Amino acid sequence: MTTAPPLQQRAGRYRGLGTGSPRAEVKSGRTSYSVPRTNPKGALAPAAPPSPTGTGGAAAPPCSAVGRLLRLLPALVLLALAGRGGAAQTAGAQTAPPPERAGGAAAEVVVGSKVFTESVVLGEIATDLARDAGAEATHRREIGGTRVVWGALLRGDVDAYPEYTGTLAQEIFADEDVSTPEALRSALARVGVRATPPLGFNNTYAIGMTEARAEALGIETLSDLRAHPALRFGFSNEFLDREDGWPGLRRAYGLPQADVRGLDHDLAYRALAAGDLDAVDLYSTDAEVPYYGLRVLEDDRGFFPRYDAVLLYRADLAERAPAVVAAWGRLAGALTADSVAALNARVKIDGETEAAVAAAFVRARFGVDTQVETVGRAGRVWQRTKEHLALVGLSLAAAIVVAIPLGIAAAKVPWLEAPVLGVVSVAYTIPSLALLVFMLPVLGIGAPPALAALFLYSLLPIVRNTHAGLVGIAPELRESAAALGLPARVRLQRVELPLAAPSVLAGVQTSAVINVGTATLGALVGAGGYGQPILTGIRLDDVGLILEGAVPAAVLALAVQGLFSLAGRVAIPRGLRL
């Protein structure tokens, strides 16, 4: 004698359908079908004839549990949209609303910056001057590395950002000679970009060691490194791959070191101070150089070019906002290496915000009175929560709409099973950082690439669980429904999906929890969320800022798990709950 499988035993308690049930009715259109019970041996018991009028007998079962789950989507989407509505990028320093131009509303200007302190400070300075010139200016902070921000400028995602001439010559236009200012201007003009005159300081690359370590080994120049092949180097990831970074430096000096690793620029300083590294790359205006007492090794072969700071801006900005371009021209020669190092130190060492430091500079240098809006910790957490909910909610809602039909197709159409499951599995294995970067050329910076990546990561658990839930239904139950002559659509909606609902909901819950954690990476492309304070905290060595993003993310993950557990009790009938 065979024993009914657990799934069938649970299903038997669903509104009289299954083991031990005299009869259950399933309504299709205007006809009421009587579903026969199965006896313990799986045989079909006699069934009452169908009632063409649809009256009499047991009441029809409720709508599919999956249908109930889908009805929760509008609330999920509305919650996410509310988050996006209040999730505008904060610009840090705020001025009074700019006056309208004679032709209408004030010009909109978006300033970008890279993921290091000096770039953020310069971005804030440029934003303050743009506002003072009458523009509606916003600052998209810490968008990414050189290639990411350069791409954003070419696409029009940002109108301007701080850059360095050495980076343009060695990284952006590496295949052509732009060694003269005229050649550089010509190369920029070909892609619709212009540059302000140099801001006044050269922030060149350099290699640094702790004073004690360099003194003990007698190292003063980069050439001296050749005599110490066992030294441990730690370079920023961008420096590790750039032609004006480690690859070119190694060739120029014939350096033999093999223990070379890539890591975050700010973490490298801490590793150097702790003795875990012997040498790191640094910027000559970094606040950490005097703070840690580092020895800057002499570039005795003149490998590193000049890195004169400029503001790059789109050529069309000169027509859209000529006053802004003129205001940025006032920065020519306004900054020195020492003054910039002091600005960096006020942020990284003294703990001031980039917005406050920039506001103080433009007030002292140009007489621009900029009011800095101070947002408390609670306000910042609420802002990031709305951004994070938007990323998770919108991507999850889209994934549910797409993944459940894909799971059904994989279960119902044999030749689709392998392709569907294979494609969503491959998408899930792509590293998240790589996937975000792949999306940038098509979707630009901000929320769109993050939403697309999160959507793709959400597919696999839902598709696989929907497929598993459907193919795992006991054959006896399928036979019972088929024996009645129910249409395939009705069998799917009234019998199969309700039985598969626990598995489907488990897949959605898994995707939701994974999305909460993965969405923190959205900050790398300017999407905000809890990842923003985490990245800023790493850059500033501020544990409080890191926890400001990490703790709410963990709490949200627990809340999402609890919410879906509660939704399962509401949407899934008692007899089908796992």
Side-chain angles (χ1 to χ4, degrees):
M1 179 179 295
T2 60
T3 304
L7 179 60
Q8 181 183 355
Q9 293 172 355
R10 292 194 301 271
R13 297 193 293 272
Y14 174 55
R15 299 289 186 179
L17 176 60
T19 305
S21 172
R23 184 176 63 223
E25 288 189 354
V26 181
K27 293 186 177 180
S28 172
R30 300 179 61 182
T31 303
S32 176
Y33 297 93
S34 179
V35 181
R37 64 176 176 87
T38 56
N39 61 29
K41 295 185 178 182
L44 295 180
S51 171
T53 62
T55 60
C63 183
S64 165
V66 175
R68 296 183 186 181
L69 175 62
L70 292 176
R71 284 204 295 268
L72 296 176
L73 284 179
L76 191 63
V77 172
L78 287 175
L79 180 63
L81 289 176
R84 288 309 308 171
Q89 291 283 339
T90 56
Q94 302 289 338
T95 61
E100 289 192 356
R101 296 181 296 169
E108 295 183 1
V109 176
V110 179
V111 178
S113 60
K114 301 183 190 180
V115 287
F116 61 96
T117 299
E118 183 172 295
S119 183
V120 178
V121 171
L122 293 177
E124 288 286 353
I125 290 173
T127 304
D128 287 344
L129 291 177
R131 290 190 181 122
D132 185 62
E136 288 279 3
T138 56
H139 182 195
R140 301 294 296 270
R141 304 159 48 105
E142 304 175 76
I143 296 174
T146 297
R147 287 290 181 177
V148 173
V149 189
W150 171 255
L153 180 69
L154 296 184
R155 289 190 303 270
D157 295 333
V158 299
D159 296 304
Y161 80 95
E163 191 52 279
Y164 303 87
T165 55
T167 299
L168 291 170
Q170 301 293 324
E171 178 73 5
I172 303 300
F173 299 111
D175 297 331
E176 53 187 297
D177 182 10
V178 291
S179 56
T180 65
E182 295 76 15
L184 181 57
R185 282 196 296 269
S186 177
L188 290 171
R190 288 200 306 271
V191 292
V193 175
R194 297 179 184 176
T196 65
L199 307 186
F201 68 98
N202 169 32
N203 184 12
T204 186
Y205 270 126
I207 303 298
M209 302 178 66
T210 61
E211 185 66 35
R213 182 67 167 155
E215 183 66 25
L217 298 177
I219 297 176
E220 294 184 355
T221 68
L222 290 177
S223 293
D224 293 337
L225 294 173
R226 286 199 304 271
H228 304 278
L231 290 178
R232 301 160 297 169
F233 290 171
F235 297 141
S236 61
N237 292 299
E238 188 169 352
F239 183 86
L240 198 61
D241 296 323
R242 286 170 54 139
E243 190 55 34
D244 58 338
W246 172 241
L249 181 68
R250 179 175 52 190
R251 289 195 302 270
Y253 283 92
L255 298 180
Q257 284 76 16
D259 188 358
V260 181
R261 65 196 72 180
L263 70 166
D264 181 82
H265 184 67
D266 300 286
L267 295 179
Y269 278 116
R270 290 167 233 166
L272 182 66
D276 297 326
L277 295 173
D278 296 309
V280 300
D281 65 305
L282 48 84
Y283 307 127
S284 57
T285 56
D286 278 351
E288 290 88 346
V289 174
Y291 180 78
Y292 288 112
L294 303 184
R295 175 180 292 187
V296 179
L297 304 184
E298 179 187 349
D299 183 11
D300 51 312
R301 294 191 177 182
F303 169 74
F304 293 116
R306 287 188 62 85
Y307 290 81
D308 292 309
V310 296
L311 283 178
L312 296 183
Y313 61 93
R314 292 176 58 83
D316 62 356
L317 191 65
E319 298 179 2
R320 293 189 288 115
V324 172
V325 175
W328 289 341
R330 299 166 66 189
L331 283 170
L335 293 159
T336 65
D338 289 340
S339 65
V340 172
L343 296 179
N344 292 334
R346 290 176 59 184
V347 175
K348 303 203 70 175
I349 308 302
D350 300 336
E352 297 183 54
T353 66
E354 294 92 343
V357 170
F361 171 80
V362 297
R363 184 181 302 113
R365 178 75 184 190
F366 304 111
V368 174
D369 189 13
T370 301
Q371 295 181 348
V372 179
E373 178 183 352
T374 302
V375 181
R377 187 181 298 274
R380 295 197 304 269
V381 171
W382 174 237
Q383 176 74 15
R384 299 308 177 192
T385 298
K386 292 187 291 183
E387 295 169 355
H388 212 81
L389 284 174
L391 293 174
V392 173
L394 289 175
S395 60
L396 182 63
I400 291 172
V401 171
V402 173
I404 291 179
L406 284 178
I408 294 172
K412 293 295 184 180
V413 184
W415 64 269
L416 282 179
E417 181 178 14
V420 168
L421 295 180
V423 169
V424 296
S425 296
V426 169
Y428 193 78
T429 61
I430 300 175
S432 52
L433 287 177
L435 189 57
L436 283 171
V437 173
F438 292 157
M439 298 292 179
L440 288 178
V442 179
L443 300 175
I445 61 172
L451 288 171
L454 291 172
F455 163 77
L456 291 177
Y457 280 127
S458 299
L459 292 178
L460 179 62
I462 303 175
V463 171
R464 200 171 272 284
N465 276 40
T466 301
H467 170 268
L470 290 173
V471 300
I473 295 175
E476 293 86 353
L477 298 178
R478 296 180 183 276
E479 293 169 1
S480 298
L484 295 173
L486 295 176
R489 181 183 62 81
V490 176
R491 292 201 305 270
L492 176 66
Q493 180 182 0
R494 296 294 187 174
V495 178
E496 296 174 2
L497 281 178
L499 294 175
S503 179
V504 175
L505 186 61
V508 175
Q509 180 175 347
T510 300
S511 289
V513 174
I514 291 175
N515 261 14
V516 170
T518 308
T520 57
L521 296 176
L524 293 172
V525 292
Y530 292 139
Q532 193 65 57
I534 293 175
L535 292 179
T536 304
I538 292 174
R539 174 169 61 82
L540 299 179
D541 192 15
D542 189 330
V543 176
L545 272 178
I546 296 174
L547 293 177
E548 190 175 299
V551 172
V555 172
L556 181 60
L558 293 174
V560 166
Q561 184 167 343
L563 179 64
F564 275 96
S565 297
L566 179 62
R569 298 183 64 83
V570 174
I572 299 175
R574 185 186 302 273
L576 294 180
R577 296 174 190 165
L578 295 176

